[in-house]
Amino acid sequence: MSDSLFADASKRLQTAMKYASISEDAVERLKYPKASLSVSIPVRMDNGTLQVFQGYRVRYDDTRGPGKGGVRYHPNVSLDEVQSLAFWMTFKCAVLNLPFGGAKGGITVDPKALSKLELERLSRGYVDAIADFIGPDVDILAPDVYTNAMIMGWMMDQYSIIRRQISPAVVTGKPLTMGGSVGRDGATATGAFFAIEAIMPKFDQLPSQTTVAIQGFGKAGSVMAELLARAGYKVVAVSDSQGGIYAKKGLDIPSIRQYKAMGNGITALYCKNTVCNIVEHEILSNQDLLALDVDILIPAALENQITEANVNDIKAKYIFEVANGPITSEADKVLEAKGIYVFPDILVNAGGVTVSYFEWVQNRSGLYWTIEEVNQRLKQKMIEETERIWSISQELAISMRTAAYVHALNRLGEALNAKGTRDYYINGRIS
Ligand code: NAD
């Protein structure tokens, strides 16, 4: 792929614009991020040396509310990636009708190479560097790839120290004792599960007759595997960054989660641990997993996993994007031509930001909800928006991805127009 990730992401906007009721002004505004910040973060390492890391925060749009988006720790983090993720957050928040704009952050680092103390100094250093750029009413952080509740807790604590007031609503995905919400941990997967449950009956696809392969076994992918297996779907393959495992009869997901939690990679399971005794399985690479002949394929790792190079190998009937941006726009066209249904990231993985919104509401009101309340509200939102996007896609005969962008663009366009349209300023007419 020659395009930058952002240039590729923007193509989705161009396709959807034709179908949305949105002014030229609004379209022009949405082509550019509102503000981008690059920072260097000096960290004293355990051996006494100083190492400087690159960090980023991009607020793409805040017309509908404060920026909202996760913080990623990964060696490949770049401004282009963070900007693309902030762009997707803008549309995701609009799809779910959350009162937020889109933002994202990241640090270029291999977190697995740092000690816990180095990781804490890095996380606090990042907040020191971006403190004037964020805030509960400005831009709110959350976990993403290789960040977790503990890191969110450090970030919230550091921001509170800087502001000299406890500020829980600046970060979501915090530990419960620091103002986190019940249900935030599994929210991305739970939301995706509700979307799958809303869609599959439309194809008369019963769980017991549905095979699933999941790429990525982290906060999102592992919970996804567990929820689907519990609901009767046959999860036949899972993978992490080291590789994957496959069993035609279905995998024993709880054992795999338990083994992973002990710090082991998935491929280390192969004929070494209890899972081998429960069900026989084969080892496979991430590329093999993507090419499996399954009903549902769930990319839940990183972007650009299905590209022009491997799209012709894809055999799944339905793809649910739990990861952000796992399919390039060129690969998307091929999948559509092949009749493979793709359910897009800005809908499917929106459960995470939805429960982040619930956490922010709880922090601001000081009243905390039960897991039943959280899940019931999440279910209602996910099903409502999945059905709306399905109807748009049927009515306009467009893909679910384009329909999701149309749905988001209509809401974003309305908000941008409310600030004054070209028609209003040129002709003096209130439109
Ligand atoms: P995580 O760090 O918990 O897990 C990432 C997983 O991907 C790990 O299992 C890792 O081993 C695997 N992985 C890394 N590189 C890989 C590779 N090259 N091939 C295969 N697997 C690889 O992260 P997460 O929070 O589960 O996020 C996964 C995806 O879901 C990301 O795209 C993220 O942006 C998206 N997402 C996460 C949330 C959330 O709330 N956590 C919300 C929305 C979207």
Side-chain angles (χ1 to χ4, degrees), residues 49-63:
T49 59
L50 188 80
Q51 207 171 318
V52 179
F53 296 87
Q54 281 307 297
Y56 308 93
R57 186 76 191 170
V58 174
R59 199 171 325 129
Y60 197 86
D61 185 79
D62 57 6
T63 315

Side-chain angles (χ1 to χ4, degrees), residues 411-425:
R411 284 180 173 154
L412 279 159
E414 213 178 315
L416 284 157
N417 285 354
K419 290 189 168 182
T421 60
R422 180 178 302 207
D423 203 30
Y424 173 73
Y425 287 108

Side-chain angles (χ1 to χ4, degrees), residues 57 73 78 80 99 108 180 184 186 226-227 233 254-255 269 284 347:
R57 186 76 191 170
Y73 288 1
S78 64
D80 176 50
T108 314
R184 176 60 185 87
E226 180 123 3
L227 291 173
Y233 292 80
S255 311
L269 282 169
L284 85 176
L347 168 68

